[in-house]
Amino acid sequence: MTTTSPATPRDLSPDADTRAALDGSLERLRTGSAGWSALTAAARRDLLREIRSAVEAAAEDWARIAAESKGLEPRHPLAGEEWLAGPYAALVALDAYAGSLDALARGRSPLAGVRIGTGPGGRTVVHSAPLRASDRLLLSGYTTEVWVQPGVTPHEARDAAGLASRHPHRTGGVGLVLGAGNVTSIPFLDVLYELLAEGRVALLKVNPTQDALVPVFERVFAPLIRAGFVSVVSGGGDVGAYLTRHPGIDHVHVTGSESTFRAIVGSDEDRLRVPITAELGGVSPIIVVPGRWSAADLRFQAEHVATMRLHNSGHNCIAGQVVLMSRDWEQRDDFLRELHRALTRAPRRPVWYPSAVERLGRVRDTYPDAVWFADDTRALVTGGGEVETTEYFAPVLGIVDLPGTGAAFLDTAIAHANDRLTGTLGANVLIDPATLAGLGTGFDDAVARLRYGTVAVNAWTAFGFLTPTATWGAYPGGTIDDAPSGIGVVHNALLLDRVERTVVRGPFRPFPRSLGRGRFSVLPKPPWFVTSRTGRAVSEGFARFRIDGRFGPLLVTLVRAFGA
């Protein structure tokens, strides 16, 4: 999600030379669209393998440039975020899409061999990860499920999987991808989705915050650029505005803010003439279900919550923003003390995204009793109000107290999240194994009532974002006139149709405390935690394992993980 709009008032326009260059790019893509539709699934799979080799070669530069653009030294522990959210995300997505294309090339469904079950209300549930032995090791204890919309049978889900890649010879025209400015894999992944799920060649307009990465995008997309299937351009709002109204564009996809979306859609007098999909962020809840937690549980989950807010300095649509807690929980104050400590311990970092510092100033005015950390660069506010309705896109975390315990609290928290918080992108639920077991099947019924596109249980919704065979996007129902978190989904490397949501499940306790106490995991503190001292080394190690598949260095990486 970004806050820099790619659309500007229509009286602004790029200069003549820029317009000519953009027109030329679109003309090449229009010609390339016919070539893309001539490729079989097998040919597209082979092209993805070429792109994978290009990503492998560019991975180190990609992670280094991304870290430096955010004010981090490449070897800073938090620079691991740029390995995971950049080249790692690209590599696992390419592998997953290639697997789906390989299945289609062999006349099979991408869901062949994938376990399918049943969820609340008879929903078809696709157990989308882990699907590889290496994932079971690297991401031990974490799983994802894609819940298909009610009424879709397993047979229908299998038959429809593949989307536009089931019929590669149908052309989808030219799609405009207005790239996000915060997470470097988003533009890359959105382009892949245009090509493989929608059958469209793509013009990627890079957000100005990622201009330093344009040469990297050109390197990794080189096989597609040479063939006329992708073009990469840069520029400000004038370029975005010109392209959204260009007659050579058949579809627009944007990752940004709702204000950006509204600017692109335009007024009745200047309405966008082509379809649009979007991911627009929102205010994500972190529901803390009361239970009996040990001191280690309190500390670990407080660091978990701090990570949800402070990752990427809070400049994430994925970020948790409002903690919904029980005022009747006996350990409420203990948890808040640990949360204060976690917000204090997390390494200091620049607040780098445009206008984020100004938004922090607005928080100071709106919440004079806020508690500030790290030289006043991160805030904890108590009570509702603006924190529930405004996505700050900055390191601001809210605490809202609700009544009740057990199922009663969970019901109240779900209703509050659905009705009071802006957006439907992602929700997080933290619940200890004993309380979870006590709720039985009622817990999944509660998850089904959460109107969010991704629900993470004892995990962060970012895990769903990072898992290519999961889906990422708003809860279904967004329209051009009312799209609080967007329209449609992306990622979705199994190419599923009629998706309702993704559900992520993770371990409440890390290794070794996970032994015999709920969902097992061999991971100690996850490398994406902002408090991990070895986050950069372990995240880079995960990415390098994806590159070369060598288990020797991976074992060294896993040993380092225990030094977190």
Side-chain angles (χ1 to χ4, degrees):
M1 180 274 178
T2 71
T3 56
T4 301
S5 174
T8 60
R10 304 298 169 227
D11 59 349
L12 297 181
S13 179
D15 60 43
D17 289 343
T18 300
R19 292 198 304 272
L22 296 172
D23 292 347
S25 293
L26 286 169
E27 187 59 35
R28 287 190 294 274
L29 288 170
R30 181 64 60 186
T31 301
S33 178
W36 179 251
S37 65
L39 292 183
T40 63
R44 294 180 180 188
R45 174 204 62 203
D46 294 343
L47 199 51
L48 291 190
R49 290 171 178 165
E50 290 185 49
I51 300 168
R52 192 189 202 283
S53 295
V55 172
E56 292 173 3
E60 188 162 348
D61 286 343
W62 185 336
R64 175 183 54 79
I65 293 169
E68 290 174 347
S69 72
K70 299 177 182 182
L72 295 174
E73 292 295 325
R75 299 192 69 81
H76 191 286
L78 294 176
E81 295 174 359
E82 302 311 319
W83 278 96
L84 285 181
Y88 177 90
L91 290 165
V92 295
L94 288 166
D95 289 344
Y97 278 122
S100 291
L101 291 174
D102 187 66
L104 291 168
R106 298 171 187 272
R108 306 171 68 195
S109 167
L111 292 184
V114 177
R115 183 164 65 93
I116 297 179
T118 303
R123 289 171 175 81
T124 295
V125 173
V126 177
H127 294 270
S128 56
L131 299 178
R132 298 161 49 139
S134 57
D135 290 332
R136 293 184 180 90
L137 175 63
L138 291 183
L139 305 171
S140 173
Y142 292 86
T143 61
T144 66
E145 309 157 8
V146 177
W147 292 12
V148 184
Q149 293 179 18
V152 178
T153 67
H155 174 78
E156 290 170 334
R158 286 192 185 94
D159 188 57
L163 299 178
S165 288
R166 293 177 63 231
H167 309 287
H169 301 309
R170 299 177 186 172
T171 180
V174 179
L176 170 63
V177 173
L178 296 168
N182 59 328
V183 174
T184 64
S185 63
I186 292 177
F188 179 90
L189 298 174
D190 288 350
V191 167
L192 291 186
Y193 200 71
E194 283 291 290
L195 290 162
L196 301 171
E198 306 293 356
R200 287 187 285 266
V201 297
L203 176 64
L204 169 62
K205 190 271 185 190
V206 177
N207 188 287
T209 63
Q210 294 195 12
D211 277 350
L213 279 164
V214 168
V216 171
F217 290 140
E218 290 175 337
R219 285 171 63 188
V220 298
F221 282 133
L224 297 171
I225 293 172
R226 287 193 299 267
F229 303 151
V230 167
S231 184
V232 179
V233 302
S234 57
D238 56 340
V239 172
Y242 181 73
L243 291 171
T244 59
R245 294 309 192 266
H246 198 287
I249 293 296
D250 298 297
H251 182 273
V252 175
H253 177 79
V254 58
T255 299
S257 66
E258 189 172 8
S259 62
T260 297
F261 179 78
R262 295 261 62 88
I264 294 168
V265 170
S267 63
D268 291 339
E269 296 77 25
D270 184 27
R271 196 76 158 176
L272 184 69
R273 63 171 186 81
V274 298
I276 184 170
T277 52
E279 191 268 87
L280 305 178
V283 174
S284 294
I286 306 168
I287 299 173
V288 180
V289 182
R292 174 50 57 186
W293 295 11
S294 69
D297 294 336
L298 292 165
R299 184 167 54 253
F300 178 79
Q301 293 299 344
E303 293 183 12
H304 198 178
V305 170
T307 294
M308 295 181 198
R309 180 67 269 183
L310 299 182
H311 181 278
N312 200 23
S313 202
H315 310 315
N316 281 338
C317 61
I318 300 172
Q321 181 163 305
V322 174
V323 182
L324 300 179
M325 295 181 62
S326 170
R327 67 172 64 102
D328 301 316
W329 185 26
E330 293 180 355
Q331 294 179 289
R332 174 192 177 278
D333 292 344
D334 296 330
F335 181 74
L336 284 180
R337 276 193 292 271
E338 288 295 345
L339 184 56
H340 279 240
R341 291 168 182 159
L343 292 170
T344 300
R345 285 196 304 268
R348 298 181 184 185
R349 65 191 306 170
V351 177
W352 62 270
Y353 206 81
S355 301
V357 171
E358 289 81 355
R359 288 192 292 277
L360 288 177
R362 191 174 78 200
V363 169
R364 185 178 298 281
D365 294 337
T366 305
Y367 295 94
D369 295 330
V371 181
W372 292 85
F373 305 85
D375 294 331
D376 292 351
T377 59
R378 57 189 70 147
L380 184 67
V381 305
T382 301
E386 187 179 87
V387 73
E388 297 181 291
T389 58
T390 300
E391 182 187 19
Y392 285 123
F393 216 63
V396 179
L397 185 66
I399 303 293
V400 173
D401 287 317
L402 301 172
T405 58
F409 168 80
L410 186 57
D411 289 344
T412 299
I414 288 171
H416 191 97
N418 286 341
D419 300 336
R420 299 284 295 275
L421 305 188
T422 295
T424 66
L425 187 61
N428 310 274
V429 182
L430 302 180
I431 181 169
D432 67 275
T435 303
L436 180 60
L439 292 174
T441 59
F443 179 76
D444 272 6
D445 292 336
V447 168
R449 294 196 300 275
L450 273 165
R451 296 193 296 269
Y452 288 85
T454 298
V455 178
V457 181
N458 291 332
W460 178 26
T461 51
F463 191 91
F465 172 92
L466 196 64
T467 302
T469 48
T471 58
W472 184 252
Y475 190 76
T479 68
I480 196 169
D481 295 312
D482 182 20
S485 283
I487 302 171
V489 300
V490 289
H491 306 178
N492 186 25
L494 294 175
L495 301 171
L496 300 169
D497 196 13
R498 298 175 62 188
V499 168
E500 182 186 58
R501 77 181 80 214
T502 282
V503 177
V504 179
R505 302 181 197 267
F508 182 75
R509 300 181 174 101
F511 186 85
R513 294 190 303 113
S514 61
L515 287 165
R517 306 177 70 187
R519 179 175 283 235
F520 175 73
S521 175
V522 300
L523 285 178
K525 183 181 295 184
W528 54 86
F529 269 39
V530 292
T531 50
S532 172
R533 296 188 300 272
T534 60
R536 194 276 312 165
V538 174
S539 298
E540 179 181 347
F542 281 9
R544 293 197 180 280
F545 175 72
R546 288 295 184 186
I547 290 171
D548 57 31
R550 296 169 58 205
F551 278 94
L554 177 62
L555 292 176
V556 174
T557 294
L558 293 175
V559 170
R560 285 176 172 165
F562 283 85

